[in-house]
Amino acid sequence: MKFPQEVLQQCWFLAGPTASGKSSTGLLLAKAIDAEILSLDSMAVFRKMDIGTAKPTLADRDRVPHHLIDLIDPWEDFSTADYLSQSLAACQQILSRGKKPLFVGGTGLYLRAILRGVFEGPAADWDFRNRLEAQAATEAPDWLYRQLTLTDPVSANRLHQNDSRRLIRALEIQHLTGKTASEQHQQAPLPKQDQPTHVYWLHPDRDWLYERINQRVEEMFEAGLVEEVQHLLALEHPISRTAQQALGYRELLDWLNGSLASEEEAKELIKTRTRQFAKRQHTWFRNLEECQAITVAPDTNATTLVQQILNNTESATRAPST
């Protein structure tokens, strides 16, 4: 599944690691180019998960219309293909109003899916699935995960060891196609002339970013993150494995179920894991050739960043005629 070229070419993108200033910069950029914002965040799709996912405030949503937020309940599943389908529909609606679609967020997998498409995979082989499920029932709880690790460690690394449905699907893809799921999902970039022009990512100073991350975590606790997680535990359905793995939620769930000794330990672990996540995000965007880096110095504000982006756009527009 891919975005139609005529839609993709009209989209703008502002990606970057967590706490790098995407939201404030995105709001100003949206005003400057007459755009509506589409969330590029895999956890913002969940309702009732507001503080830990740093969703835009209601005031920000009043300033600029936002899309792809609060799409599903915390116990539901949502795939990359689901995101691609819903984002395409939202883009078409935005374009019909004479506005530009501006994607803002930090989920590299979603960004790559829009830029390069999604591998939808072969039809299910139910005999193969049933055999795996039957054997898994007789083995240790992590047996499926260990099987995938042996043949496709890249896919195994992005899945939870208890996510049997996705583990079986990854093994099934390899069984049916002769290639690993991670290989199949490595979609090649479009030819240069077909790539969208306006794909930017914020590249911040590392020490400054880490300080911002630590401060953001403190602010989330002050805003009621613990209470938000407690409310999730009280819902009528258990939250999904995907929602449970969200940064901030996973650590507090571990504390509340006794796996961590204290709230302070959970907080420090959130800071550490968020810094590690930011480093992985940096790698994602750096390795996407479609992305143009916008340097974020410690004293750079959102207005300056927007001007840098617009200057880059003007340069790219003039380039063919020079």
Side-chain angles (χ1 to χ4, degrees):
M1 180 179 181
K2 290 187 177 182
F3 259 44
Q5 267 298 306
E6 63 271 17
V7 175
L8 184 61
Q9 291 293 345
Q10 298 180 76
C11 293
W12 289 59
F13 301 87
L14 180 64
T18 186
S20 59
K22 299 184 299 296
S23 296
S24 57
T25 305
L27 284 168
L28 291 182
L29 181 59
K31 287 291 189 182
I33 64 173
D34 195 21
E36 297 183 17
I37 292 175
L38 301 97
S39 169
L40 194 67
D41 187 319
S42 62
M43 293 300 153
V45 301
F46 290 109
R47 303 183 190 105
K48 302 178 176 64
M49 295 174 64
D50 302 329
I51 298 171
T53 61
K55 286 178 186 171
T57 65
L58 294 179
D60 287 342
R61 297 186 216 183
D62 283 341
R63 288 176 60 193
V64 176
H66 283 64
H67 307 269
L68 307 179
I69 295 172
D70 294 336
L71 300 179
I72 59 172
D73 286 314
W75 54 84
E76 296 179 296
D77 289 319
F78 193 77
S79 68
T80 304
D82 291 331
Y83 177 82
L84 199 60
S85 175
Q86 296 215 24
S87 61
L88 175 57
C91 281
Q92 290 169 329
Q93 292 169 6
I94 292 168
L95 291 169
S96 73
R97 291 190 285 272
K99 304 286 187 176
K100 294 182 177 68
L102 169 61
F103 288 86
V104 178
T107 300
L109 183 63
Y110 281 2
L111 176 59
R112 189 177 68 185
I114 294 170
L115 296 175
R116 303 184 181 182
V118 170
F119 170 71
E120 297 184 76
D125 182 334
W126 290 105
D127 288 340
F128 180 78
R129 290 187 182 189
N130 292 336
R131 288 199 304 273
L132 280 184
E133 289 176 354
Q135 185 164 358
T138 67
E139 303 283 351
D142 65 345
W143 180 79
L144 282 170
Y145 183 79
R146 286 188 286 109
Q147 298 309 300
L148 186 61
T149 300
L150 292 173
T151 59
D152 187 4
V154 174
S155 291
N157 186 55
R158 66 179 179 82
L159 297 175
H160 191 276
Q161 65 178 19
N162 295 331
D163 193 348
S164 59
R165 181 174 67 85
R166 289 189 172 90
L167 292 169
I168 288 174
R169 179 56 175 165
L171 290 165
E172 178 186 49
I173 288 172
Q174 185 172 348
H175 168 74
L176 293 173
T177 68
K179 292 184 178 181
T180 65
S182 58
E183 289 173 320
Q184 296 281 17
H185 286 293
Q186 289 292 333
Q187 306 288 75
L190 295 171
K192 282 285 187 182
Q193 66 271 20
D194 295 331
Q195 293 176 11
T197 305
H198 310 298
V199 187
Y200 304 99
W201 72 283
L202 300 184
H203 182 188
D205 173 82
R206 184 181 65 179
D207 291 339
W208 172 83
L209 180 66
Y210 286 1
E211 289 179 10
R212 296 251 303 182
I213 287 171
N214 291 341
Q215 181 59 36
R216 173 178 282 190
V217 172
E218 292 289 345
E219 292 170 355
M220 286 178 172
F221 273 77
E222 292 171 6
L225 180 59
V226 172
E227 291 76 13
E228 183 170 270
V229 174
Q230 290 171 331
H231 290 156
L232 290 173
L233 289 173
L235 294 174
E236 58 268 37
H237 302 289
I239 63 175
S240 70
R241 290 192 181 95
T242 301
Q244 289 178 34
Q245 293 306 304
L247 275 169
Y249 298 90
R250 173 174 50 164
E251 294 77 14
L252 285 177
L253 288 169
D254 285 344
W255 167 54
L256 292 170
N257 70 25
S259 299
L260 295 176
S262 66
E263 179 181 327
E264 189 62 29
E265 182 182 358
K267 182 192 294 183
E268 291 307 311
L269 189 55
I270 293 169
K271 292 178 182 178
T272 298
R273 287 178 173 169
T274 305
R275 294 193 298 268
Q276 293 168 342
F277 176 60
K279 185 176 180 180
R280 294 195 299 274
Q281 288 176 299
H282 178 281
T283 301
W284 259 103
F285 303 128
R286 185 188 64 204
N287 290 338
L288 280 174
E289 69 174 52
E290 298 93 333
C291 291
Q292 304 175 54
I294 302 295
T295 300
V296 183
D299 60 348
T300 306
N301 59 33
T303 301
T304 302
L305 291 173
V306 169
Q307 193 57 56
Q308 287 183 46
I309 291 169
L310 295 178
N311 289 344
N312 278 20
T313 299
E314 291 176 7
S315 298
T317 302
R318 290 194 302 266
S321 60
T322 59

